[in-house]
Amino acid sequence: MKKFDEDIIAALATPNGEGAIAVIRVSGKECFKQIDKIFKGKNLLSEVKKNTINYGKITFNNQLIDDVLVSIFHSPNSYTGEDSVEISTHGNPLIVQKIIEILLKQKIRLAEPGEFTKRAFLNGKFDLTQAEAVADIIKSRNDSALKGARNQLNGLLSEEIKNIKKSLIEIISLLELELDFAEEDLQFISRNEIVSKIREIIRIFETLITSYRFGRILRDGVNIAIVGKPNVGKSSLLNYFVKENRAIVSEIPGTTRDVIIEEVNIEGILFKFYDTAGFRESDNEIETLGVEKSEKTILQADFVMLIHDVEQELDLQFYNRIVSLTEENRVLLVQNKIDKTIKKLNENEIGISAKTGEGIEKLFKHLMERIGQTKIYTENSLIITNLRHLEILTKGKNYLKNAIYALEINQSQEFISIEIRYTLEMLDEIIGVVTTDEILNNIFNKFCIGK
Amino acid sequence: MKKFDEDIIAALATPNGEGAIAVIRVSGKECFKQIDKIFKGKNLLSEVKKNTINYGKITFNNQLIDDVLVSIFHSPNSYTGEDSVEISTHGNPLIVQKIIEILLKQKIRLAEPGEFTKRAFLNGKFDLTQAEAVADIIKSRNDSALKGARNQLNGLLSEEIKNIKKSLIEIISLLELELDFAEEDLQFISRNEIVSKIREIIRIFETLITSYRFGRILRDGVNIAIVGKPNVGKSSLLNYFVKENRAIVSEIPGTTRDVIIEEVNIEGILFKFYDTAGFRESDNEIETLGVEKSEKTILQADFVMLIHDVEQELDLQFYNRIVSLTEENRVLLVQNKIDKTIKKLNENEIGISAKTGEGIEKLFKHLMERIGQTKIYTENSLIITNLRHLEILTKGKNYLKNAIYALEINQSQEFISIEIRYTLEMLDEIIGVVTTDEILNNIFNKFCIGK
């Protein structure tokens, strides 16, 4: 691993915008001395005690920029593990900009995205899965996602990885011990025992891998496109969600022809409903644009709710068009206006009334089932939410399967142990024991600046 | 003045949104004890030293919500003057919401807008003009506005008001002393001297009052509508500003028919150029909407730049239509494309080339002159930016004029001194010596929550 440079870095740590206060983070060896050049308080920041808050004024060229509070953190007892300060200013973007400009004139450079957390990782404050969890904690939009990220920050994933590593190292050390006694042709562990141990580890890998789909839903929510012909009650259904579930209505800026998103949080799962423009035939250019957007929405949705007026014939051509844009098992045919009909629905048909709310609870139950596996995961289950982890675990699983194959065709120890070694390398990549600049940059570039 | 209640209040102090950290402010007598109920750190917050930062975990119902840093401020050495804490959390709106919800279960209530600053004022941390300056400091969008707000926070306006008060009290005490000696018919101060002293104070009032227009421009910028027929070079001119002045281009979301705003910062003054939709004749509904928006833009603009192709005849009907929407002295006729003509312009005509940039500096010089008085105000001039102050000063000036009138028609001391007393009351209202709940609510309701 490349030794990271010892620059002092600075960035705004709070969201950009107007507020009561804004906080600028600075981190790096003896950053206090640099800040002392522009800070006038009762004492020098380089001389005050750690973990103290110090009132003073930031001035530059004899001009007062702002009166601020400066929090002092001494290495290693800071977020980054380095000497750090947090400058709390009036919450005006112009003031923040000025102060950062002044800081950049004091042997301090602007932090890259995630650089504070990267330094915390490089200084051994936590491992790589925990560093990644910091970004997830900030981005979590519902309780379950937050809980998952929290578990990861607390080291649940790291622990699991370490347990797997321990088992694999046990196997490998016995195998390699056999190599040392190769001439005696000893077996310290039976081949059947290795197979069953490795199969058990593969099962753990598989559980983690299948948790990913649920994890992604936890983190990002379920995207559901609502489609249907005019007047089947698409808007009524969305209005019902808004009214009953305090949905967050987030209209994408633009004309009313754009896609409208409603977010509904049900049992900790975020459902994002995308209201589409409808599929009227039209020569009008703007209308065509609307259709294109609808198609794209369907393509990207986890599920498509096709709303249909129960009293009308199903337009099979329309239905097939929708299915052609996604997969049949992702399309949910919802019969609306059941309050107005005497028609009896089949057991497996979904009928609702967007007006009275009848059937909507059942609709969500059905959705939950389709999302699947919701019941398998409890609050403290370990859930993978990170694509990088998924990819590594999938590779690791394949190496272990290779190992099993090598065992089955009775290959010698080297062939088994090399696959296990590959798996161990993969696991080390997850927790960041082995890593490259490229991997680190990929991870931390996704962070916001200031974290 | 009503004694303010002793509730403990809490609110998010940083802008809402995603960031590295968020800060929640809590203020009120012994708030530490309430926070100790949900905070687990090395020590109890109610027992740690003031001005320290304390790491720990916020938990509720045995569930970890977030690990946080808590800054401790003891009365009177805090922003509000009360016991206060600042809780620094991960910058996720969901976490902030959860923590605030938990705080609200601990005998803490949500702060009203500006309530922290209001408490600071009520606790004598600063006077009312300074409290108002806090809001202005947060809202300032350019250097001059910030400098003005800074001056006000530093007490420049308060000082001026106190000086005026001192002069008025001197006059009034001499006048009222005469009343005590009414039978002797003594004059402790000559009527001419009073007139000249009051006239001098009126002059100060007038300077402050006229500074308001400039102050408003400092704070909010100059709104300039750019109008003109198609192809006269409106967009080229805007593009030139963007290119040459690093303008902030802020398109109002929506269709291209909406008004586009470009902000250009020149010599510390913010110019906001509103590109209008143009005034083509049209039956189209959307087009008509565009025209309506253009008219509204012109109505609200400080100046209208009418761009005209120097080679073409001026369409007087169009010109008059624009003038009818505003005032003639607010319309600036700008002849564009002077690089393409051999035509000579008069001395008082403004010619530019949006293509080459020729004449644009002169155009801004002209604009600066029209804004007026820019040269009168230096960096440390006292400038009124607050409508409340303007209104009070205008009233005060009228009372003083009444006093002069009373002196001129030789009325007795009481009539003079009552007008001066009214003026003094007005001045006390500015700095907040005398105030009502209504006034305070009006002022602080305009603040953001958390300040």
Side-chain angles (χ1 to χ4, degrees):
Chain A
M1 199 185 305
K2 192 185 127 196
K3 193 178 174 311
F4 74 98
D5 49 51
E6 294 198 333
D7 292 353
I8 302 174
I9 53 173
L12 175 65
T14 45
N16 201 8
E18 227 172 71
I21 60 172
V23 179
I24 297 167
R25 248 186 192 166
V26 185
S27 183
K29 203 175 174 189
E30 297 187 344
C31 55
F32 318 121
K33 281 189 187 162
Q34 299 308 320
I35 308 216
D36 268 334
K37 292 181 191 166
I38 55 165
F39 174 85
K40 304 265 168 296
K42 211 169 124 194
N43 303 296
L44 282 174
L45 297 176
S46 45
E47 289 172 5
V48 299
K49 279 191 195 161
K50 68 176 182 178
N51 301 335
T52 58
I53 306 152
N54 303 273
Y55 173 79
K57 290 173 194 299
I58 301 267
T59 55
F60 189 67
N61 286 342
N62 290 321
Q63 211 198 333
L64 170 62
I65 308 300
D66 200 11
D67 39 351
V68 298
L69 292 175
V70 181
S71 299
I72 298 290
F73 305 91
H74 285 186
S75 169
N77 300 313
S78 71
Y79 179 71
T80 55
E82 305 171 334
D83 291 341
S84 301
V85 309
E86 286 181 5
I87 305 172
S88 176
T89 72
H90 281 97
N92 176 340
L94 184 66
I95 293 176
V96 169
Q97 186 197 328
K98 277 174 176 293
I99 294 181
I100 287 182
E101 275 169 14
I102 294 168
L103 288 172
L104 299 189
K105 287 176 184 151
Q106 316 301 323
K107 292 183 189 166
I108 295 173
R109 70 166 166 81
L110 203 62
E112 290 163 18
E115 195 170 3
F116 292 94
T117 307
K118 186 178 177 182
R119 289 189 173 196
F121 163 68
L122 292 174
N123 287 321
K125 301 292 283 189
F126 37 54
D127 72 26
L128 203 51
T129 67
Q130 290 172 309
E132 287 172 305
V134 172
D136 287 344
I137 280 202
I138 290 171
K139 295 212 164 81
S140 297
R141 283 296 162 270
N142 61 65
D143 284 6
S144 322
L146 189 57
K147 183 78 195 170
R150 191 77 246 174
N151 283 342
Q152 191 173 319
L153 183 60
N154 289 351
L156 234 68
L157 178 59
S158 320
E159 221 172 276
E160 183 79 316
I161 300 292
K162 278 174 200 155
N163 285 338
I164 299 173
K165 272 184 69 181
K166 210 174 134 196
S167 306
L168 289 175
I169 288 168
E170 245 173 62
I171 298 171
I172 219 174
S173 43
L174 291 172
L175 280 173
E176 292 182 356
L177 198 59
E178 288 177 12
L179 269 181
D180 292 342
F181 294 85
E183 285 169 19
E184 283 91 352
D185 202 17
L186 284 172
Q187 274 201 354
F188 292 101
I189 179 168
S190 87
R191 291 303 170 263
N192 281 344
E193 206 182 325
I194 299 181
V195 168
S196 92
K197 271 179 192 282
I198 292 180
R199 276 199 207 287
E200 203 189 305
I201 293 169
I202 289 178
R203 263 194 301 279
I204 300 174
F205 271 63
E206 279 170 347
T207 311
L208 289 174
I209 288 167
T210 49
S211 80
Y212 177 77
R213 191 180 168 204
F214 184 65
R216 196 201 56 74
I217 282 173
L218 274 193
R219 200 187 50 191
D220 304 329
V222 195
N223 296 318
I224 298 176
I226 297 192
V227 299
K229 300 196 145 192
N231 300 322
V232 293
K234 297 197 300 291
S235 300
S236 313
L237 184 59
L238 280 169
N239 286 340
Y240 182 85
F241 293 150
V242 175
K243 211 174 64 216
E244 294 299 311
N245 294 288
R246 303 178 188 192
I248 307 149
V249 186
S250 57
E251 286 197 33
I252 294 181
T255 69
T256 50
R257 285 186 182 85
D258 269 318
V259 173
I260 291 172
I261 307 175
E262 316 264 357
E263 300 189 345
V264 184
N265 202 319
I266 293 170
E267 292 178 25
I269 309 260
L270 187 70
F271 289 89
K272 292 184 190 169
F273 292 98
Y274 292 76
D275 188 9
T276 58
F279 286 92
R280 271 166 292 172
E281 302 298 326
S282 169
D283 295 331
N284 185 311
E285 201 186 308
I286 298 177
E287 204 67 58
T288 312
L289 208 69
V291 172
E292 263 173 36
K293 278 188 188 167
S294 297
E295 289 186 350
K296 210 173 153 192
T297 305
I298 290 170
L299 207 66
Q300 293 170 345
D302 294 309
F303 295 102
V304 179
M305 257 193 207
L306 201 162
I307 313 295
H308 175 247
D309 185 335
V310 67
E311 288 277 286
Q312 285 170 4
E313 271 313 307
L314 181 65
D315 178 348
L316 271 174
Q317 205 187 335
F318 181 70
Y319 178 82
N320 287 332
R321 186 171 161 207
I322 302 297
V323 169
S324 74
L325 291 167
T326 171
E327 298 160 26
E328 189 144 23
N329 64 5
R330 289 180 190 248
V331 179
L332 211 70
L333 187 65
V334 178
Q335 312 275 358
N336 191 17
K337 307 191 185 175
I338 54 165
D339 56 314
K340 283 191 188 159
T341 191
I342 48 157
K343 218 163 145 186
K344 266 283 188 194
L345 293 179
N346 292 334
E347 187 92 338
N348 55 357
E349 284 186 302
I350 304 164
I352 61 156
S353 164
K355 205 173 152 195
T356 66
E358 192 187 341
I360 285 180
E361 201 173 321
K362 205 177 132 199
L363 168 62
F364 273 105
K365 220 174 247 168
H366 190 90
L367 265 175
M368 290 282 201
E369 274 166 31
R370 287 238 188 166
I371 292 160
Q373 295 141 329
T374 50
K375 275 162 208 136
I376 301 174
Y377 299 100
T378 67
E379 236 193 21
N380 293 310
S381 290
L382 183 53
I383 288 160
I384 301 293
T385 57
N386 191 304
L387 186 60
R388 188 180 78 89
H389 302 167
L390 177 73
E391 286 170 349
I392 293 179
L393 288 169
T394 309
K395 275 190 207 163
K397 189 182 101 176
N398 290 335
Y399 289 130
L400 291 181
K401 284 198 163 170
N402 291 347
I404 299 261
Y405 179 73
L407 281 159
E408 280 169 351
I409 62 168
N410 225 357
Q411 284 191 308
S412 65
Q413 295 95 333
E414 305 98 284
F415 292 97
I416 305 159
S417 86
I418 189 103
E419 300 290 348
I420 297 178
R421 286 222 166 270
Y422 286 152
T423 313
L424 282 169
E425 273 174 27
M426 291 287 104
L427 295 174
D428 279 347
E429 231 180 68
I430 289 188
I431 55 178
V433 178
V434 178
T435 182
T436 65
D437 275 359
E438 198 193 346
I439 292 174
L440 289 186
N441 288 340
N442 268 338
I443 291 171
F444 291 105
N445 281 346
K446 286 175 201 140
F447 276 61
C448 54
I449 286 184
K451 188 73 224 178
Chain B
M1 199 186 307
K2 190 185 129 195
K3 192 178 174 310
F4 75 99
D5 49 52
E6 294 198 337
D7 292 352
I8 302 174
I9 53 172
L12 175 65
T14 45
N16 200 7
E18 226 171 71
I21 61 172
V23 178
I24 298 166
R25 249 186 192 164
V26 185
S27 183
K29 202 175 176 191
E30 297 186 346
C31 54
F32 317 120
K33 281 188 188 165
Q34 298 309 320
I35 309 220
D36 268 333
K37 292 181 191 167
I38 55 164
F39 174 84
K40 304 263 167 300
K42 211 170 124 193
N43 303 295
L44 283 174
L45 297 176
S46 44
E47 289 173 4
V48 301
K49 279 190 194 161
K50 68 176 182 179
N51 302 334
T52 57
I53 306 152
N54 303 271
Y55 173 80
K57 289 173 193 302
I58 301 268
T59 55
F60 190 68
N61 286 342
N62 290 320
Q63 211 197 333
L64 170 63
I65 308 299
D66 200 12
D67 37 351
V68 299
L69 291 175
V70 181
S71 300
I72 298 289
F73 304 92
H74 285 186
S75 170
N77 299 313
S78 72
Y79 180 71
T80 55
E82 306 170 333
D83 291 341
S84 302
V85 309
E86 286 180 5
I87 305 173
S88 175
T89 74
H90 281 97
N92 175 341
L94 184 67
I95 293 177
V96 169
Q97 185 197 328
K98 277 173 176 292
I99 294 181
I100 287 180
E101 277 169 13
I102 294 169
L103 288 172
L104 300 188
K105 289 175 182 153
Q106 316 299 326
K107 294 184 188 164
I108 295 174
R109 70 166 167 81
L110 203 63
E112 289 163 17
E115 194 169 4
F116 293 94
T117 306
K118 187 179 177 182
R119 290 188 173 197
F121 162 68
L122 293 174
N123 287 321
K125 301 291 286 188
F126 38 54
D127 73 26
L128 203 51
T129 67
Q130 290 171 309
E132 287 171 305
V134 171
D136 287 344
I137 279 201
I138 289 172
K139 295 213 165 79
S140 297
R141 282 294 161 269
N142 61 65
D143 284 6
S144 322
L146 188 58
K147 184 78 195 170
R150 192 76 246 176
N151 284 341
Q152 191 173 318
L153 183 61
N154 288 351
L156 233 69
L157 178 59
S158 319
E159 221 172 278
E160 183 77 317
I161 300 292
K162 278 174 200 154
N163 285 338
I164 299 172
K165 272 184 69 180
K166 211 175 133 195
S167 306
L168 289 174
I169 288 169
E170 245 175 61
I171 297 170
I172 217 172
S173 43
L174 290 172
L175 280 173
E176 292 181 358
L177 198 61
E178 287 177 12
L179 271 181
D180 293 342
F181 293 87
E183 286 173 16
E184 281 92 353
D185 201 18
L186 284 173
Q187 272 201 353
F188 292 102
I189 179 167
S190 87
R191 291 300 169 265
N192 281 344
E193 206 179 327
I194 298 181
V195 168
S196 92
K197 271 179 193 279
I198 293 181
R199 277 199 205 284
E200 203 187 307
I201 293 169
I202 289 178
R203 260 196 300 281
I204 299 173
F205 272 62
E206 280 171 347
T207 309
L208 289 175
I209 289 167
T210 49
S211 81
Y212 177 77
R213 190 180 169 205
F214 185 65
R216 196 201 57 74
I217 283 174
L218 273 194
R219 200 186 50 190
D220 303 331
V222 196
N223 296 319
I224 297 176
I226 297 194
V227 298
K229 301 198 145 189
N231 302 321
V232 293
K234 296 198 300 292
S235 299
S236 313
L237 185 59
L238 280 169
N239 285 340
Y240 181 85
F241 292 151
V242 175
K243 211 175 64 215
E244 295 300 311
N245 295 288
R246 302 177 190 196
I248 308 151
V249 185
S250 57
E251 287 196 32
I252 294 181
T255 69
T256 51
R257 285 187 182 84
D258 270 315
V259 173
I260 290 172
I261 308 176
E262 315 263 357
E263 301 189 343
V264 184
N265 202 320
I266 292 170
E267 291 178 24
I269 308 259
L270 187 70
F271 289 90
K272 292 184 192 168
F273 292 98
Y274 293 75
D275 187 9
T276 58
F279 287 92
R280 270 166 291 171
E281 300 300 325
S282 168
D283 296 331
N284 184 311
E285 200 185 308
I286 299 177
E287 203 68 59
T288 311
L289 207 71
V291 171
E292 263 174 35
K293 278 189 188 164
S294 296
E295 288 185 350
K296 210 172 155 195
T297 304
I298 289 170
L299 206 67
Q300 293 171 345
D302 295 309
F303 294 102
V304 179
M305 256 192 209
L306 201 160
I307 313 295
H308 175 248
D309 184 336
V310 65
E311 287 278 284
Q312 287 169 4
E313 269 313 306
L314 181 66
D315 177 346
L316 270 174
Q317 203 186 339
F318 180 70
Y319 178 82
N320 287 332
R321 185 168 162 209
I322 302 297
V323 169
S324 74
L325 291 167
T326 171
E327 297 161 24
E328 188 143 21
N329 64 7
R330 289 180 190 249
V331 179
L332 211 70
L333 186 65
V334 178
Q335 313 274 358
N336 191 17
K337 309 191 184 176
I338 54 164
D339 54 315
K340 282 192 188 159
T341 191
I342 49 158
K343 218 163 148 185
K344 268 282 189 192
L345 293 178
N346 292 335
E347 188 94 336
N348 55 358
E349 282 185 304
I350 303 164
I352 61 157
S353 163
K355 205 172 152 196
T356 65
E358 193 185 339
I360 285 180
E361 201 174 322
K362 205 177 134 196
L363 168 62
F364 273 103
K365 219 173 248 168
H366 190 89
L367 265 174
M368 291 282 202
E369 273 166 31
R370 288 240 186 163
I371 292 160
Q373 296 142 329
T374 50
K375 277 165 208 130
I376 300 173
Y377 298 100
T378 66
E379 236 192 20
N380 293 311
S381 290
L382 184 52
I383 290 160
I384 301 293
T385 56
N386 191 306
L387 186 61
R388 189 180 77 89
H389 302 167
L390 177 74
E391 285 171 350
I392 294 179
L393 288 169
T394 309
K395 275 190 207 162
K397 189 183 101 177
N398 289 336
Y399 289 130
L400 290 181
K401 284 196 163 170
N402 291 346
I404 298 261
Y405 179 73
L407 281 158
E408 280 170 353
I409 62 168
N410 226 355
Q411 284 193 304
S412 66
Q413 295 96 329
E414 304 98 285
F415 292 96
I416 305 159
S417 88
I418 189 103
E419 300 289 350
I420 296 177
R421 287 222 166 270
Y422 285 152
T423 312
L424 282 169
E425 272 173 30
M426 290 286 107
L427 295 175
D428 279 347
E429 232 180 67
I430 289 189
I431 55 176
V433 177
V434 177
T435 181
T436 66
D437 275 358
E438 198 192 348
I439 290 174
L440 288 187
N441 288 341
N442 268 338
I443 291 171
F444 290 104
N445 281 345
K446 286 178 201 139
F447 276 61
C448 53
I449 286 186
K451 189 71 226 181

